[in-house]
Amino acid sequence: MASPQPSIILSFRRTFALLIVLVVLPSAGLSGFGVVAIINERAAVEKRLEATWQGTLETLTEDLPAALRSARFVLVDGQPRLVTSDGRLLSTPASFRVEGKQVSSPDAELAAALQAVQSSSADFPAGTSHFSLMVGGRATLLAAERQGDVVHGVRLSQDAVEALIEERAEGQVTSSEPVRFVLLARQEATGEGLMGKLALEVAQARASALGPLVLAEQVLPPPLQDFRLAVVPTGEDPIARASTRNRVVYVVLLGLFYVTLTFGVVYTGRVLYREARLSRMKTDFVSLVSHELRTPITSIRMFIETLALGRVKDPAQTQQVLQLLTQETERLGTLVDRVLDWARIESGRKVYHREFLPVPAVVDAAVTAFRAQRLEGELRLSVDLPENLPQVQVDREAIAGALLNLLQNAYKYSKEDKRISLIVRADRKWVDLTVEDHGVGISPRDRRRIFERFYRVDNLLTRKTEGSGLGLAIAKHIVEAHGGRITLKSELGKGSRFTIQLPVGKA
Ligand code: ADP
């Protein structure tokens, strides 16, 4: 075949480029959004976990003052201690005493801190109270009890208070995540103005980098405001786990998306290319058929003119001219029949009248028609038709036509050596009709395509030989419509062997 016309290939390329632009670019944009989503994924997971825990934290921070209020002071070895109603110790041994404006404590730092806030015993509410205070730069929880003018107080154990919170949290599990509730010192704004804010942010960043991973936190209500209650995971980092899982899901989905997209683009590209090629073949076919029609019509006109002008006087010569006329009309008829046949097959209007027939009936029909074609050159057709062949259920005309086409091709595509064998073989399931020639043969590349409609091998012999590229496509269609198949073995320059396989007819 001639190489594909540039205009068709160009228009195919343009359509394909448009397809790529319309499909691939938006999907690349979509993936970009996905990448941004992946980057933001960690922040999103953090937010979600924080929201999960916020409610619990709010309840617990409200609960804590009440829990502390229910604890009471006892004297152990003359020293005050704070114990819960079920007897658990909440305080450390560090204690203090305020009498008027006089603060005393074995812990010098504690005494200094209390003095600094200028407490006088009158500032303390009557009964038990709790508060937080910065002692030696560290936030500390304190409990005090005023009796008249004297105040006794203790420093609370952070561990014991955390255990108390833990106990209260038990009924409020909001997530299956293993977590711990801890008290962290609140980060104070250390400075005013821009520099102060900057210093605070740096301090916060360092604290979050060095300190435990905090899922959510809540500042305690006054007077415990120097502390925040925080949720800290005890198992592996749930943020990392959740975001890794989401990333894996996203990457897998993205992979699937691209595989499907690639498949879609490749498939569409192939369909487009095939359509472009077919449309070129159809154009070729129209010009081919017009050319094929013109040749016999010109000859016919020439012969008729010869006869009309009375140029041929000799009856023998007249007979010869008439014979040539018949031959040309037959050629014309065959071509028109083939085109009509194909049109009928394409539109699905082809009907087969199948009947039970002996194999020789079909073979003889094809061989007789083949021999009747006054072929030039010496034809040496051998037919090997064994006895006792099973019957086949076929449309005689159609199958004989397909076989005739193989015989004609064997003749057309052979040079000097016109030996053709028609061999019939059968087993329990199949009847094989094989046509073997010693002609030009077919290359492996063309072998795959010669059954396509309008396809003709591009070689000198084919170009010199009349044909439409429809014969084998029609034959294949007919054989397959009968439940059979058509196969080919060929070697370039040595010959070809086409086999029609028909299923044995079961009466
Ligand atoms: P055509 O009308 O061109 O013969 P076909 O469909 O019958 O159309 O055949 C398609 C092409 O296959 C032919 O153009 C020819 O190049 C090739 N071909 C078919 N049969 C043979 C054969 N026996 N030997 C070599 N080439 C063949």
Side-chain angles (χ1 to χ4, degrees), residues 2 30 33 45 80 112 129 183 188 212 229 271 290 299 319 339 357 395-396 402 426 465:
L30 201 70
F33 280 128
V45 175
S129 61
L183 286 171
E188 279 292 354
L229 181 59
V271 170
S290 327
S299 320
Q319 199 54 39
V339 174
L357 291 170
D395 179 321
R396 185 207 303 249
T465 318

Side-chain angles (χ1 to χ4, degrees), residues 338 405-406 409-410 412-413 437 440-442 450 455-457 459 462 466-473 496 498:
R338 195 156 282 182
N405 185 260
L406 296 189
N409 280 353
K412 282 198 295 187
Y413 304 111
D437 64 50
V440 291
I442 303 160
I450 53 165
Y455 189 82
R456 305 194 78 205
V457 179
N459 60 30
T462 311
E466 67 186 62
S468 56
L470 278 177
L472 285 178
S496 312
F498 284 85

Side-chain angles (χ1 to χ4, degrees), residues 8-25 261-274 276:
I8 283 165
I9 295 304
L10 265 184
S11 86
F12 163 72
R13 280 194 190 146
R14 216 173 296 137
T15 318
F16 195 66
L18 195 70
L19 176 81
I20 298 280
V21 171
L22 292 183
V23 173
V24 175
L25 283 190
L261 189 78
T262 313
F263 177 77
V265 168
V266 169
Y267 180 76
T268 317
R270 284 181 64 140
V271 170
L272 274 178
Y273 186 71
R274 222 175 288 152

